[in-house]
């Protein structure tokens, strides 16, 4: 509490007001008892005016000055931390993003800023743990070969967690050089993927099947920005799969090769 100079000034001001009020009560009590002669009364009145006028005005001036200083300090802190906000938003490496959030939660000044960064770090730490678990599950399932429908569905959910966490928070990062995908469905065989592909082509002619891990993904491709992909996402969810989601190509699969039956993510 005492680290805030404005708060300190405010309590000092209250302290002087209390002194002034006590002076009034003391003078009133002495006058009522008749023990206060005119000379002493005059001295008390001078003291009272000195407390209320001189010290009070000085304290109020100090409060106003401190408030302006704190405001300038807050602005400088916001400008300093703003560049780190962009670093966190644009970072596509999950562990680095987590470390940045942890650093900012520690070095941020006390108050709302520190509280916000601490809350963000706690949130992203949980998401990172889910991301690591989902990525580990995907690697294990890839080695299993044929998967059951339940395993494929769980794989899709795990892949969604991985893709979302590996995608930067900022949708404008290198947007001019980035392609975005809508991942519509995942199937354990090519026939199931082709059924979804027929629906996807009606929405976007640049749709294809990409084999990633042990799953055949129906992917709507060729979106130059995340905004354009978002404009068709709801339609894909309504007509193909309600759990469809958006990914950035470079983070979802940086290298795609043409296979004999479909595209393959390497």
């Amino acid at each position: 509490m005492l680290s805030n100079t404005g708060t300190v000034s405010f309590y000092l001001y209250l302290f002087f007001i209390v002194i002034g009020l006590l002076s009034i009560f003391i003078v009133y009590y002495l006058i009522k008892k008749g023990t206060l002669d005119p000379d002493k009364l005059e001295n008390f009145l001078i003291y009272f005016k000195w407390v209320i006028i001189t010290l009070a005005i000085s304290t109020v001036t100090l409060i106003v000055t401190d408030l302006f200083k704190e405001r300038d300090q807050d602005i400088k802190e916001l400008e300093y931390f703003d560049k780190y906000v962009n670093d966190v938003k644009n970072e596509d490496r999950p562990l680095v993003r987590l470390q940045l959030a942890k650093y900012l939660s520690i070095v941020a000044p006390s108050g709302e800023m520190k509280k916000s960064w601490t809350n963000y770090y706690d949130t992203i730490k949980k998401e990172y743990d889910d991301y690591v678990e989902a990525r580990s599950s995907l690697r294990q399932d890839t080695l299993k070969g044929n998967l059951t429908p339940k395993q494929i569905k769980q794989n899709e959910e795990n892949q969604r967690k991985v893709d979302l966490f590996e995608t930067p928070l900022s949708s404008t990062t290198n947007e001019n050089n980035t392609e975005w995908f809508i991942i519509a469905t995942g199937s354990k065989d090519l026939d199931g993927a082709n059924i979804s592909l027929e629906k996807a082509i009606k929405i976007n002619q640049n749709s294809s099947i990409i084999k990633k891990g042990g799953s055949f993904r129906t992917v709507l491709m060729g979106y130059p920005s995340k905004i354009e992909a978002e404009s068709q996402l709801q339609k894909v969810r309504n007509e193909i799969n309600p759990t469809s989601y958006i990914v950035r190509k470079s983070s979802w699969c940086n290298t795609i090769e043409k296979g004999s039956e479909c595209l393959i993510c390497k």
Side-chain angles (χ1 to χ4, degrees):
M1 179 180 69
L2 296 180
S3 61
N4 187 315
T5 55
T7 302
V8 173
S9 298
F10 176 72
Y11 281 105
L12 283 174
Y13 173 67
L14 289 181
F15 172 73
F16 290 129
I17 290 296
V18 170
I19 291 177
L21 293 175
L22 285 175
S23 300
I24 294 175
F25 285 117
I26 292 172
V27 170
Y28 174 78
Y29 175 76
L30 294 176
I31 291 175
K32 189 174 181 181
K33 290 188 65 175
T35 59
L36 190 65
D37 57 51
D39 291 338
K40 290 183 178 180
L41 176 60
E42 184 178 351
N43 290 334
F44 268 108
L45 291 175
I46 292 173
Y47 168 74
F48 175 73
K49 286 190 292 184
W50 178 77
V51 171
I52 295 299
I53 298 175
T54 306
L55 294 181
I57 291 177
S58 299
T59 306
V60 170
T61 303
L62 181 62
I63 291 174
V64 174
T65 302
D66 286 341
L67 288 176
F68 276 109
K69 287 182 179 178
E70 288 181 0
R71 182 177 180 275
D72 291 338
Q73 182 179 351
D74 289 341
I75 291 174
K76 290 179 181 179
E77 288 174 350
L78 287 173
E79 290 175 349
Y80 175 77
F81 280 89
D82 183 61
K83 62 180 181 180
Y84 288 105
V85 171
N86 289 327
D87 289 342
V88 173
K89 288 171 59 180
N90 297 333
E91 180 58 56
D92 59 356
R93 291 169 294 177
L95 183 57
V96 176
R97 192 189 311 165
L98 178 68
Q99 291 172 334
L100 278 171
K102 182 179 181 180
Y103 167 76
L104 293 170
S105 70
I106 294 173
V107 303
S110 300
E112 291 300 319
M113 183 178 293
K114 188 176 189 68
K115 182 179 178 181
S116 297
W117 279 114
T118 301
N119 289 340
Y120 176 69
Y121 171 71
D122 292 340
T123 300
I124 198 173
K125 178 63 169 63
K126 183 180 182 304
E127 291 178 353
Y128 179 77
D129 292 340
D130 291 341
Y131 158 79
V132 172
E133 183 180 351
R135 188 176 59 176
S136 176
S137 297
L138 284 172
R139 289 175 178 174
Q140 294 175 9
D141 289 341
T142 299
L143 301 175
K144 293 179 180 179
N146 294 329
L147 302 176
T148 65
K150 183 178 180 180
Q151 289 174 320
I152 291 176
K153 186 175 181 180
Q154 184 60 50
N155 264 5
E156 289 181 4
E157 178 62 22
N158 288 335
Q159 186 64 55
R160 184 184 67 82
K161 291 180 180 179
V162 171
D163 295 338
L164 288 178
F165 200 84
E166 289 182 348
T167 300
L169 299 178
S170 174
S171 61
T172 59
T173 305
N174 298 324
E175 192 164 273
N176 292 331
N177 300 319
T178 301
E179 182 180 357
W180 295 83
F181 290 169
I182 297 178
I183 310 299
T185 62
S187 303
K188 65 178 182 179
D189 54 52
L190 195 59
D191 292 336
N194 279 321
I195 295 175
S196 299
L197 180 62
E198 292 178 1
K199 300 177 182 179
I201 291 176
K202 295 178 181 179
I203 300 174
N204 181 352
Q205 290 292 325
N206 295 320
S207 298
S208 187
I209 296 174
I210 301 177
K211 185 179 181 182
K212 184 176 182 181
S215 178
F216 293 89
R217 314 296 178 87
T218 301
V219 182
L220 288 76
M221 308 164 64
Y223 297 102
S225 69
K226 188 177 182 180
I227 294 177
E228 292 192 31
E230 288 174 340
S231 67
Q232 289 194 331
L233 178 60
Q234 192 56 50
K235 187 174 183 180
V236 175
R237 287 176 172 174
N238 291 337
E239 298 183 13
I240 304 177
N241 181 12
T243 61
S244 301
Y245 57 95
I246 296 173
V247 296
R248 192 176 62 160
K249 174 184 177 294
S250 59
S251 61
W252 186 74
C253 183
N254 196 37
T255 303
I256 298 177
E257 297 180 359
K258 187 175 182 180
S260 58
E261 298 179 313
C262 63
L263 300 177
I264 300 175
C265 175
K266 295 292 186 178

